[in-house]
Amino acid sequence: MTKIRVHEYAKKVNRTSKEVIEELGKLNVNVTNHMSMLDRDATSKLDQRFGKGGSTPSDKSAGQDHKQSSRPASNAQDKQRRGDSPAAQGQQRPSQSSQGGNRPAQGQQRPSQSSQGGNRPVQGQQRQGQGSQGGNRPTGQQGQGSQGGNRPTGQQGQGSQGGNRPAQGQQRQGQGSQGGNRPTGQQRQGQGTQSGNRNATGQQRPSTGAQGGNRPATGQQRQGQGTQGGNRPAQGQQGQQGQQGQQRQGQGGGGRPAGRGGRPPARGINQGRRRHRPAPMPKVEKPLPEKITFYESLSVGELANKLGREPSEIIKKLFMLGVMATINQELDKDAIELICADYGVEVEEEIRIDVTDLEIYFEEDEVVEETQTERPPVVTIMGHVDHGKTTLLDSIRDTKVTQGEAGGITQHIGAYQVEVEGKKITFLDTPGHAAFTTMRARGAKVTDITILVVAADDGVMPQTIEAINHAKAAEVPIIVAVNKMDKPSANPDRVMQELTEHGLLAEAWGGDTIFVPISALKGEGINQLLEMVLLVAEVGELKASKNIRARGTVIEAQLDRGRGSVATLLVQDGTLRIGDPIVVGNTFGKVRAMINDLGRRVKEAGPSTPVEITGLSDVPQAGDRFVVFEDEKTARQIGESRAGEALQEQRVEKTRVTLDNLFEQMKQGEMKELNLIVKADVQGTVEAMAASLMKIEVEGVNVKIIHTGAGAINESDISLAAASNAIVIGFNVRPDVNAKRAAEEEGVDIRLHRVIYKVIEEIEFAMKGLLDPEYQEKVIGQAEVRETFKVTKIGTIAGSYVTEGKITRDAGVRVLRDNIVIFEGELDTLKRFKDDVKEVAKGYECGITVKNFNDIKEGDIFEAFVMEEIKRA
Ligand SMILES: Nc1nc2c(ncn2[C@@H]2O[C@H](COP(=O)(O)OP(=O)(O)OP(=O)(O)O)[C@@H](O)[C@H]2O)c(=O)[nH]1
């Protein structure tokens, strides 16, 4: 190599002229400036100094950096690079970072000031280890590594961490493409800037020490911070940094409004500090309770509250169990137990006793064995219509109830007691008519023994089977009374035979059912039957305690004009006394007077005794439970609350729509309804009537009983009927004067009856009448089109000849062409010559126009038809 100028050489070795001049100075080669010529000797010395490639060994990395970097470093940087070991720099940089408030003075050197800084090298190493988080590249080696191309030298990398961001400017540029991939690195830059160093060092946005310290642990947090920070410096420095700024903006763009870039440094510091706030302490979870209790169910929120956990945690757990739940979702017992088991918390379901539920007083086991004594059996007589139930009861009581009955059918329900061999037996008089099925079912609940009356001449009939089923369902023993044995046609064997098919095998045939042949009419076999009743009762060990507060069931109830609400009660346990505070069904009161089955006033009634009481606030229903309470206040409270609940239930029932009945209700929307108000002399009859009426089945019509009640038909019944277009049915009752007048005024239909089947028959007719009439088409005649005339404004007039039947003006018409219906509609005009006529008979000519149809041709046939109403069967 010949002579070369200093600047040429510097260029060759990729150094600045100044560096070369300095180096020459060290080599004692005097040069004046960058234009000075270097001789061969000086050049070879420099070559040795800078190495063949133009770099000194110690400066290798810097050299590379220069090559890779697009931006020349300042002298200071050069010096730094050359003079400081990477490690030292590493230490320096971090320290500067955070407490970057000092940085203005640091210039590019960023001396280590912060105690945190001391950590950095370590962090730096950690970061290296993290590899892809390249923002950490603190070391020179890393910088020289494969990532070197993107990043400035390791030193620069360190610089960036340590706050030596002058180099970062280059870094960022160099990193360019990396930027997008390295949120971490970018973030750090951003943070640094925030630290308030912006002003001081322009390019040097040192990273914050605290963050530096946290980084390894909180990679994600840093990202967040970085994102924010990234904006500010970028904006503040955009002018200076060009690409860098943009890059940062791009990186941090989502984080902040652009305007913030202009914030004063002080604010930046504050924010920087804020960001340095240690991560929020993990929430200290409340200790779990050992046990939680619940009643019926808990919502997710409530359960979370009880467990002292966040509802979201519970929702998550449920989700893991495959249940999607919201905070308000009710959890059932199983779900609660499952969740609590997961937490290891014990669960207990609270059982609250509903004092208003009268059934619980029947289940109560307060009865002590010793205090119990034998009680009379309660017997129900069941059987098919006319098989002799009433006659049998008469025979037993020696009373002729049958004679006084309207229509010969038992309509009242009562209870009576008889004494046989010094032992009492209570009989419930349950009528055999199908209308009383409901009552019978209720009756079976209080029944100990059933006497099944089967007429020996008639055998097993539908209601016999029904009675057997009721008794079996109630697990009540059956004694079969084969009645009418006095009749010549009596065939007891046939009865026994037929009953075997229904599971009743006579003792005589190896079974365990007692069969007693009787003649109710003649009073034969009655004693034997009663003996059997006592025997079965004995086997059943029927016991009750006399010394407890009474409880039992309503046999029937009615409203008496003079006495008010009157109820026949069967005391099933305990003793009922006058003055007892009592809740009966949804009513309550104090037992004012008690009358036994013989019409005598009594002061108390023991187990299995039927008594009629007065003193109730309202009329209860047959089958209702009654319970005596210790004081009137309690009775009143419970009674009132039950009445309220009942009312509520009634309302809910009316409006309730469930998925199950939705379709049903929709169907009902198309149905017609027959509204009824049923009044009868006793409550039992009212119920039975209502049940029978509800059973009436006429397609397309629904029976709706809107009101029932015991007692005379009154004005309010009429006004209700008028308002709801209902028919009032009075059974064994009459309307009072006011009701009569009101009914006449309002045009309300009152039907009065004494025999139950007549009511049902009549209502059935009424329902059939309610249906829309059914129509059937009837062809009344045919006419043939002989000629057509087209008349403006009128259309086509068909000159026709009636070939069959007649054509009427109001008939429907079909136009047939080659026996194919081409139009169906109405006749418009029908004329004979020029006159409009109502009908034209066979054999006559006429002019016909058809409404909305003019395409009539010769040879077409008009078929006239009418819709005829057909009577329902
Ligand atoms: N020959 C004869 N006739 C009887 C006997 N028992 C009842 N009868 C008659 O059978 C008919 C019906 O008797 P009821 O006692 O009214 O029959 P029931 O089963 O109570 O009928 P319902 O009240 O309609 O359910 C009456 O005419 C009785 O006189 C009997 O043992 N022998």
Side-chain angles (χ1 to χ4, degrees), residues 383-394 402 405 407-411 429-433 453 457 463 483-487 518-523:
H384 194 71
V385 182
D386 281 352
H387 277 203
K389 297 180 293 292
T390 314
T391 315
L392 174 60
L393 205 63
D394 285 350
T402 320
E405 277 180 14
I409 298 174
T410 311
Q411 279 142 10
D429 175 15
T430 56
H433 193 280
V453 179
D457 60 337
Q463 283 172 28
N483 194 25
K484 303 191 186 180
M485 285 298 288
D486 57 293
K487 280 195 169 181
I518 61 163
S519 167
L521 194 68
K522 296 196 171 169

Side-chain angles (χ1 to χ4, degrees), residues 14-15 19 55-69 71 73 77-83 89 140 144 152-156 170:
N14 206 14
R15 293 291 172 129
E19 279 178 311
S55 301
T56 60
S58 61
D59 281 341
K60 244 183 186 175
S61 61
Q64 279 185 356
D65 181 44
H66 279 285
K67 280 174 211 154
Q68 291 158 2
S69 165
R71 179 160 62 90
Q77 286 169 337
D78 285 340
K79 273 182 201 161
Q80 194 183 6
R81 272 179 222 122
R82 272 176 279 137
Q89 289 173 1
Q144 290 165 0
T153 65
Q155 290 163 3
Q156 286 170 351
Q170 297 164 359

Side-chain angles (χ1 to χ4, degrees), residues 851-863:
K851 227 179 240 175
N852 303 325
F853 187 72
N854 286 313
D855 182 29
I856 303 168
K857 291 189 174 148
E858 274 176 38
D860 284 354
I861 303 285
F862 289 127
E863 186 181 80

Side-chain angles (χ1 to χ4, degrees), residues 441-756:
R442 283 187 178 181
K445 280 187 192 171
V446 294
T447 304
D448 299 312
I449 297 164
T450 289
I451 294 179
L452 180 68
V453 179
V454 187
D457 60 337
D458 207 13
V460 172
M461 297 303 279
Q463 283 172 28
T464 316
I465 299 164
E466 209 177 283
I468 294 169
N469 292 338
H470 276 300
K472 277 186 181 168
E475 294 178 352
V476 173
I478 297 171
I479 296 173
V480 180
V482 184
N483 194 25
K484 303 191 186 180
M485 285 298 288
D486 57 293
K487 280 195 169 181
S489 52
N491 186 354
D493 282 356
R494 183 180 137 214
V495 173
M496 286 163 87
Q497 173 61 43
E498 284 171 348
L499 283 176
T500 6
E501 289 165 25
H502 300 283
L504 298 178
L505 188 61
E507 279 179 323
W509 291 4
D512 56 4
T513 306
I514 300 170
F515 278 70
V516 184
I518 61 163
S519 167
L521 194 68
K522 296 196 171 169
E524 291 168 11
I526 304 298
N527 281 338
Q528 197 195 348
L529 179 68
L530 295 177
E531 273 169 27
M532 288 301 136
V533 169
L534 289 175
L535 186 74
V536 173
E538 217 169 275
V539 173
E541 290 185 359
L542 306 168
K543 286 186 174 175
S545 182
K546 284 182 181 171
N547 309 323
I548 57 168
R549 286 196 291 272
R551 50 202 184 201
T553 304
V554 178
I555 303 301
E556 68 164 55
Q558 64 196 82
L559 194 64
D560 188 279
R561 270 209 167 177
R563 297 188 295 163
S565 169
V566 178
T568 305
L569 309 180
L570 175 74
V571 180
Q572 290 176 277
D573 210 350
T575 302
L576 183 66
R577 295 183 178 86
I578 287 198
D580 274 352
I582 191 170
V583 174
V584 186
N586 300 326
T587 71
F588 65 95
K590 213 173 169 182
V591 180
R592 201 186 297 150
M594 277 206 291
I595 292 167
N596 71 4
D597 55 315
L598 302 169
R600 287 188 199 128
R601 284 183 167 262
V602 288
K603 285 188 176 164
E604 58 175 47
S608 298
T609 312
V611 276
E612 197 179 71
I613 67 153
T614 56
L616 297 177
S617 60
D618 206 345
V619 183
Q621 309 239 315
D624 276 352
R625 298 293 212 175
F626 78 82
V627 174
V628 168
F629 285 89
E630 56 209 18
D631 56 67
E632 213 178 331
K633 194 179 156 202
T634 316
R636 175 183 288 271
Q637 273 175 358
I638 292 174
E640 277 176 353
S641 122
R642 283 179 62 84
E645 275 170 30
L647 198 71
Q648 191 67 25
E649 258 172 45
Q650 225 177 7
R651 284 189 190 138
V652 171
E653 239 168 56
K654 275 181 190 162
T655 54
R656 191 181 296 148
V657 174
T658 67
L659 275 184
D660 288 337
N661 68 12
L662 190 62
F663 181 63
E664 203 59 34
Q665 290 207 354
M666 279 165 61
K667 246 175 43 184
Q668 282 182 358
E670 299 156 13
M671 288 179 112
K672 288 189 184 291
E673 261 175 4
L674 177 68
N675 292 336
L676 296 177
I677 291 174
V678 180
K679 297 294 292 259
D681 50 350
V682 295
Q683 185 65 30
T685 311
V686 172
E687 282 191 22
M689 287 252 307
S692 299
L693 289 166
M694 295 295 282
K695 274 190 192 164
I696 298 176
E697 279 185 11
V698 174
E699 212 185 323
V701 185
N702 247 352
V703 171
K704 194 175 171 192
I705 295 167
I706 57 169
H707 177 64
T708 59
I713 298 164
N714 56 35
E715 205 175 346
S716 95
D717 296 330
I718 304 299
S719 55
L720 178 61
S724 44
N725 198 23
I727 295 171
V728 180
I729 294 167
F731 192 78
N732 273 348
V733 290
R734 293 282 173 273
D736 59 28
V737 189
N738 288 338
K740 239 183 211 166
R741 185 181 37 79
E744 273 167 26
E745 279 172 15
E746 304 273 0
V748 170
D749 195 3
I750 302 178
R751 303 296 170 111
L752 303 172
H753 291 279
R754 291 190 72 217
V755 178
I756 206 160

Side-chain angles (χ1 to χ4, degrees), residues 731-800:
F731 192 78
N732 273 348
V733 290
R734 293 282 173 273
D736 59 28
V737 189
N738 288 338
K740 239 183 211 166
R741 185 181 37 79
E744 273 167 26
E745 279 172 15
E746 304 273 0
V748 170
D749 195 3
I750 302 178
R751 303 296 170 111
L752 303 172
H753 291 279
R754 291 190 72 217
V755 178
I756 206 160
Y757 67 79
K758 285 255 162 104
V759 183
I760 291 154
E761 205 177 80
E762 191 176 75
I763 297 303
E764 224 166 346
F765 277 131
M767 286 166 75
K768 280 177 180 163
L770 245 185
L771 292 171
D772 287 328
E774 264 186 51
Y775 290 96
Q776 181 178 287
E777 185 194 298
K778 189 182 170 199
V779 175
I780 55 168
Q782 272 194 358
E784 195 184 316
V785 179
R786 296 268 162 96
E787 213 173 348
T788 59
F789 310 94
K790 291 210 163 117
V791 180
T792 26
K793 286 186 185 169
I794 293 175
T796 309
I797 299 170
S800 316

